[in-house]
Amino acid sequence: MTRRGTHGRFAGVGVGPGDPELITRKAARLIQQADVVAFHAAAGRQSNARRIAAELIPDGVLEEQLTYPVTTGATDHPGGYAGAMAAFYEEAADRLAAHLDAGRNVVLLAEGDPLFYGSYMYMHDRLAERYETEIVPGVPAFLAAAAAVASPLVRQTDVLTVLPGTLPEPELARRLADTDGAIIMKLGRTFPAVRRALAAAGRLDHALYVERASMPEQQWRPVAEVDAEQVPYFSLVVVTGDSRNGRRSRDREREREGDAAACAAAPESTRAAELLVVGLGPGPDRWLTPEVDAALSEVDHVVGYGPYVSRVPQRPGLTRHASGNTVEVDRARLALDLALRGERVAVVSGGDAGIFGMAAAVFEAAEDPAYADVPVRVLPGVSAVQAVAARAGAPIGADYAVLSLSDRLKPWAVVEKRLRAIAEADLVLAIYNPASRSRTEQVATARAVLLEHRDAATVVIVGRDVGRAEESLTVTTLGELDPATIDMKCLLIVGATGTRSSAAGVWTPRYVR
């Protein structure tokens, strides 16, 4: 990196998790050559980073202790905790910048690694563009913790996920269930929720608690045995990939090849279980039907598109099988294979599973004679068209049609033919999948086709993310509809000739005069 004038150099130096012998040679050299050594500390406490590097700090060097105004307590700052910390980082950056402007080389010590959940990053954000900056990596605490428990974290194609314990408990449980190995940081007061999440994910029995890894006070024990009232901030949880590998390997093998031997050995009554196909509704939990909620609480496997699977709360004994957006039949076969072995399985869809959802894909796959013994039952859900219509009023109070603009499974010529037929029949039209990253022109084409048969003043409703926090509803006309504003998050309802818009809402009369 080039020098910037006569300013000093700034370095973020990782000093490792606690044992001074884990400091790298490069980190040691920069500390010993520094004009200024800076470090963060909590009010009234010794800086852990400085304690780790103490033997390397030269006599007489300038030291800058950057004392946090607040850690987890309350603050009277008008901007709350975030405002107090932002002001602190600005003031701290100004202090370090003064040394750099004077030509002094500044080393900012960071526990573990500078770019891993550390305060160095906030100084980097404010100073790296102005001064020559170098970052020296350090050994992160989670690697020291893995060494302490002497157990491999992950092997081969295993996935390691690092999670903050501050995540919402359901989200933490979901992520723990979906990974092989895991590290959970930021414990302390979050520990009770973390332990509950581990239990919900079925990972508690193999989770290990490590406190002050690599320090003289280091200790570790099973998470289930930890006193939640005695958990310090400098602790974390290790969940090794080996604790899940056996089950995952069996699952993967069965998913790909099936398990004919298991089926043959199973009692006749358990060879095949009923496969459920359920609709989760458009988004909010309050739109999940009690029937579907009860069904999901009893199954052992949930299969579906990743974002829909993530909406099912994790609990002990539940295995989740998430996949991409264009492999519906493969998903269906996986679910049928599991049910064929007697596993209790639910295939999940957003909205209603029978409306452009997984139900049709399951029945398509179930035509294979191999699945003749698997009964399939579809549980209805609130559909997106119902949700958008309800938000607007009663636009589908009379005859209406539902159409997907996607041409992934049918030629566009078929879509256009159906559009014309619906327009000529003067039906209210609900349009699913109006656009995507690869389909940006079809809304404009559909609008042009409809305008051949409908007045430009025809009412159009654009519902976006209905039921979610970012929900919006726009009532416009066919003539004024801007195709550029439409994407995959939208559902359109195009009114019939008789559809009306008033102060009370949009509605379509039940009668035709």
Side-chain angles (χ1 to χ4, degrees):
M1 184 178 295
T2 58
R3 285 188 61 85
R4 300 181 184 177
T6 58
H7 295 151
R9 296 186 301 277
F10 180 47
V13 174
V15 296
D19 183 349
E21 291 187 337
L22 295 178
I23 297 176
T24 66
R25 293 172 62 183
K26 185 171 187 177
R29 175 175 59 80
L30 288 179
I31 293 169
Q32 291 169 332
Q33 295 175 351
D35 300 314
V36 179
V37 174
F39 42 86
H40 291 86
R45 297 185 182 180
Q46 180 186 18
S47 166
N48 282 287
R50 192 201 183 285
R51 177 186 57 77
I52 296 168
E55 294 181 359
L56 299 171
I57 298 175
D59 293 336
V61 72
L62 294 174
E63 295 190 29
E64 283 284 359
Q65 177 168 310
L66 309 175
T67 304
Y68 298 113
V70 61
T71 50
T72 59
T75 175
D76 57 3
H77 191 282
Y81 176 84
M85 292 304 294
F88 161 68
Y89 287 130
E90 289 294 337
E91 186 269 338
D94 289 343
R95 287 168 60 185
L96 300 186
H99 291 294
L100 294 165
D101 288 339
R104 303 184 189 103
N105 293 332
V106 176
V107 166
L108 177 57
L109 306 178
E111 300 159 46
D113 182 88
L115 299 180
F116 188 77
Y117 290 127
S119 293
Y120 164 76
M121 293 181 285
Y122 301 101
M123 297 297 97
H124 183 88
D125 294 340
R126 291 164 170 81
L127 299 174
E129 292 298 317
R130 297 157 54 192
Y131 304 99
E132 181 180 349
T133 299
E134 182 174 8
I135 300 171
V136 180
V139 176
F142 75 85
L143 292 180
V149 301
S151 182
L153 275 176
V154 281
R155 303 174 188 265
Q156 298 179 336
T157 58
D158 285 348
V159 173
L160 174 67
T161 303
V162 179
L163 300 163
T166 50
L167 281 177
E169 188 177 325
E171 176 70 5
L172 186 59
R174 180 185 72 80
R175 290 177 180 266
L176 286 167
D178 291 345
T179 191
D180 299 296
I183 299 293
I184 308 176
M185 313 285 292
K186 302 178 183 288
L187 297 183
R189 295 188 299 176
T190 69
F191 185 78
V194 168
R195 183 153 55 189
R196 290 193 300 269
L198 284 162
R203 311 301 297 273
L204 180 60
D205 290 346
H206 301 283
L208 301 173
Y209 166 86
V210 184
E211 184 176 308
R212 295 182 169 86
S214 84
M215 302 181 193
E217 312 93 326
Q218 170 184 293
Q219 55 180 296
W220 66 273
R221 67 182 71 90
V223 168
E225 299 176 6
V226 174
D227 180 357
E229 300 298 322
Q230 303 297 322
V231 175
Y233 182 80
F234 287 100
S235 58
L236 51 79
V237 170
V238 177
V239 185
T240 65
D242 282 357
S243 70
R244 197 185 183 202
N245 269 346
R247 176 163 57 83
R248 283 183 65 87
S249 296
R250 290 193 297 272
D251 286 348
R252 287 169 178 166
E253 182 180 353
R254 289 174 177 177
E255 288 171 13
R256 293 169 184 163
E257 304 175 5
D259 193 349
C263 288
E268 185 71 24
S269 61
T270 61
R271 283 191 178 178
E274 181 180 58
L275 175 60
L276 299 178
V277 187
V278 307
L280 301 175
D285 292 342
R286 65 183 180 276
W287 289 349
L288 183 72
T289 69
E291 181 185 36
V292 170
D293 190 30
L296 291 174
S297 71
E298 296 176 352
V299 297
D300 302 313
H301 300 266
V302 171
V303 178
Y305 177 42
Y308 301 145
V309 170
S310 69
R311 288 172 53 189
V312 180
Q314 183 59 44
R315 55 175 170 76
L318 180 66
T319 301
R320 302 140 69 90
H321 307 266
S323 51
N325 193 29
T326 58
V327 290
E328 294 88 355
V329 175
D330 290 339
R331 264 201 295 274
R333 291 193 184 107
L334 166 60
L336 288 161
D337 285 336
L338 290 167
L340 192 62
R341 296 201 305 272
E343 303 280 359
R344 298 179 299 177
V345 187
V347 178
V348 296
S349 281
D352 181 272
I355 302 178
F356 304 121
M358 279 298 299
V362 169
F363 283 107
E364 177 183 341
E367 286 191 330
D368 187 327
Y371 303 123
D373 293 334
V374 180
V376 178
R377 181 159 59 101
V378 181
L379 305 185
V382 176
S383 68
V385 62
Q386 288 173 297
V388 173
R391 285 289 195 256
I396 55 174
D399 299 334
Y400 70 98
V402 177
L403 179 74
S404 169
L405 283 195
S406 173
D407 59 355
R408 185 170 70 86
L409 299 175
K410 58 182 179 289
W412 176 254
V414 172
V415 177
E416 190 167 326
K417 180 180 179 180
R418 292 174 179 175
L419 276 170
R420 294 183 189 281
I422 293 167
E424 290 173 358
D426 196 22
L427 297 171
V428 175
L429 170 62
I431 299 178
Y432 278 69
N433 307 316
S436 69
R437 292 188 183 92
S438 60
R439 294 186 295 107
T440 58
E441 301 298 327
Q442 292 173 350
V443 176
T445 302
R447 173 177 172 271
V449 170
L450 292 171
L451 281 170
E452 293 175 9
H453 305 275
R454 300 281 179 88
D455 190 274
T458 300
V459 176
V460 175
I461 301 160
V462 181
R464 178 190 298 276
D465 287 320
V466 169
R468 297 181 173 88
E470 58 273 27
E471 169 186 315
S472 67
L473 192 80
T474 303
V475 178
T476 182
T477 64
L478 194 57
E480 296 179 352
L481 176 66
D482 182 2
T485 65
I486 306 303
D487 57 30
M488 200 65 177
K489 294 183 177 182
C490 297
L491 183 139
L492 309 184
I493 298 179
V494 181
T497 300
T499 302
R500 306 175 186 181
S501 179
S502 66
V506 179
W507 61 288
T508 301
R510 296 168 295 159
Y511 49 80
V512 176
R513 297 191 188 281

